[in-house]
Amino acid sequence: MEMTMCFPLLLLICSLSTAQLQTESDNEIIPHGKQTESQGREPTNASDRQQTCTQDINAVLREMSATLAEQRVEMRHLQRENEAQAAKLRELELQKTEVDKMKQQLKAQAAELINMAEELSNMTARTDVTENQVEALKRDNEVKQVAFSTSLLASGSGTIGPFNTYTPLVFRYIVANIGNAYNPNTGLFTAPVRGAYHFEFYIGAHGHASHASVAVLVKNGEHIFIAYQHQPSHYGSSANGATLLLEVGDVVFLRLWWNARIFDNENHHSTFSGNLLFTM
């Protein structure tokens, strides 16, 4: 822009210098003899040179005016561009501020989601623990529901014994077997859980001079309590019972004494029962 403004000024200076040099040259070239004639024409030549110089100056001024006008237009254009760029810059700054706010919001939401995920994980863990506890309680309740009641013969009537050795008694008629801890095929009761159990047994037989009616309660091969009756005639019976602390897997059953007898029929005289009192 400075070069554009300086060019017309240089042109104006050059025009004035040329005019001055032309005047001096004219004064030097004219012969002495013709000075009088030249002097007569001098005003006219000076007037012509002045007019030419004035025209050159006006032309330069018009060119300068046109250039200045163009520069003003260009300056206004540049000013509008600067204003537009400033507006865009302000808009970008506002967008950047909005983006920063959104980033902060996203960070906050991400932190909240992490907290929610942790809480959900904790809730899931607690739910799993609760479900496990419920299942354990169900199993405990199922295990705690232990009871059985049986009689010796599944049907009909008859006498078992005597034998010359101890013989396990298998009570085959099942009245109840809650928890399935009693096995009617072997006559063995197996403790499913550690706890206190109560057992009762009743035995009977018709009188006989040589053979009594005897049965013994056995825990893991150890004789606990015995029921005994002996009379030479008529029917006789006996009973006994015990509360035992059993560990898981302990076995309880009834054993017929050697050289003894036991009777049963459809009235179920000889019975064996037991149930879990409480766990320990």
Side-chain angles (χ1 to χ4, degrees):
M1 184 181 296
E2 291 180 355
M3 292 296 295
T4 304
M5 294 178 66
C6 289
F7 177 74
L9 293 176
L10 292 174
L11 183 60
L12 178 59
I13 293 169
C14 290
S15 299
L16 293 174
S17 299
T18 303
Q20 184 177 0
L21 292 173
Q22 183 66 35
T23 302
E24 293 176 354
S25 176
D26 290 342
N27 290 333
E28 292 177 356
I29 295 172
I30 298 172
H32 180 71
K34 295 182 181 181
Q35 286 182 355
T36 303
E37 185 181 354
S38 298
Q39 288 175 357
R41 293 195 303 266
E42 183 176 355
T44 302
N45 294 333
S47 177
D48 292 339
R49 287 194 296 272
Q50 184 177 1
Q51 185 178 359
T52 301
C53 184
T54 302
Q55 290 175 354
D56 292 339
I57 291 172
N58 290 333
V60 172
L61 290 175
R62 284 194 299 271
E63 186 177 354
M64 290 179 63
S65 298
T67 302
L68 289 174
E70 291 177 357
Q71 290 177 353
R72 290 192 188 97
V73 173
E74 186 177 357
M75 288 178 65
R76 285 195 295 270
H77 179 70
L78 291 174
Q79 185 177 3
R80 286 194 295 270
E81 287 185 351
N82 289 335
E83 291 176 353
Q85 290 178 357
K88 289 182 179 179
L89 182 60
R90 289 192 295 271
E91 184 178 358
L92 290 174
E93 289 177 351
L94 292 175
Q95 291 178 357
K96 182 179 181 299
T97 303
E98 188 67 23
V99 169
D100 292 338
K101 290 182 180 179
M102 292 179 65
K103 286 182 178 179
Q104 292 177 356
Q105 291 177 356
L106 289 174
K107 288 181 180 179
Q109 291 176 359
E112 185 176 358
L113 288 175
I114 292 173
N115 293 333
M116 292 176 64
E118 291 178 353
E119 183 64 24
L120 180 61
S121 177
N122 293 333
M123 291 177 63
T124 302
R126 289 195 294 270
T127 301
D128 293 339
V129 171
T130 303
E131 290 178 353
N132 293 334
Q133 291 175 345
V134 170
E135 292 297 327
L137 289 173
K138 286 182 179 180
R139 290 192 297 270
D140 289 344
N141 288 333
E142 291 175 357
V143 170
K144 289 178 181 178
Q145 296 173 358
V146 179
F148 72 98
S149 184
T150 62
S151 67
L152 187 61
L153 298 180
S155 62
S157 63
T159 299
I160 297 176
F163 304 105
N164 59 2
T165 185
Y166 297 114
T167 305
L169 292 172
V170 180
F171 291 78
R172 300 188 180 278
Y173 183 81
I174 306 299
V175 178
N177 190 14
I178 300 170
N180 295 317
Y182 176 77
N183 188 339
N185 297 316
T186 62
L188 304 179
F189 173 86
T190 304
V193 64
R194 185 176 190 271
Y197 295 81
H198 181 72
F199 298 93
E200 292 181 356
F201 56 102
Y202 297 83
I203 60 172
H206 296 285
H208 192 280
S210 303
H211 304 293
S213 179
V214 187
V216 60
L217 183 67
V218 182
K219 170 190 171 183
N220 296 332
E222 176 187 0
H223 288 185
I224 303 299
F225 287 166
I226 192 170
Y228 175 90
Q229 78 83 24
H230 184 203
Q231 57 191 45
S233 61
H234 305 292
Y235 183 83
S237 63
S238 180
N240 211 334
T243 297
L244 304 176
L245 174 60
L246 301 181
E247 301 293 338
V248 177
D250 284 349
V251 175
V252 177
F253 63 98
L254 284 181
R255 176 179 286 169
L256 181 65
W257 203 264
W258 61 275
N259 200 37
R261 303 185 312 156
I262 186 172
F263 171 81
D264 196 22
N265 61 13
E266 62 275 2
N267 294 318
H268 308 297
H269 298 278
S270 298
T271 63
F272 179 37
S273 302
N275 62 279
L276 172 66
L277 299 177
F278 49 86
T279 59
M280 297 181 65

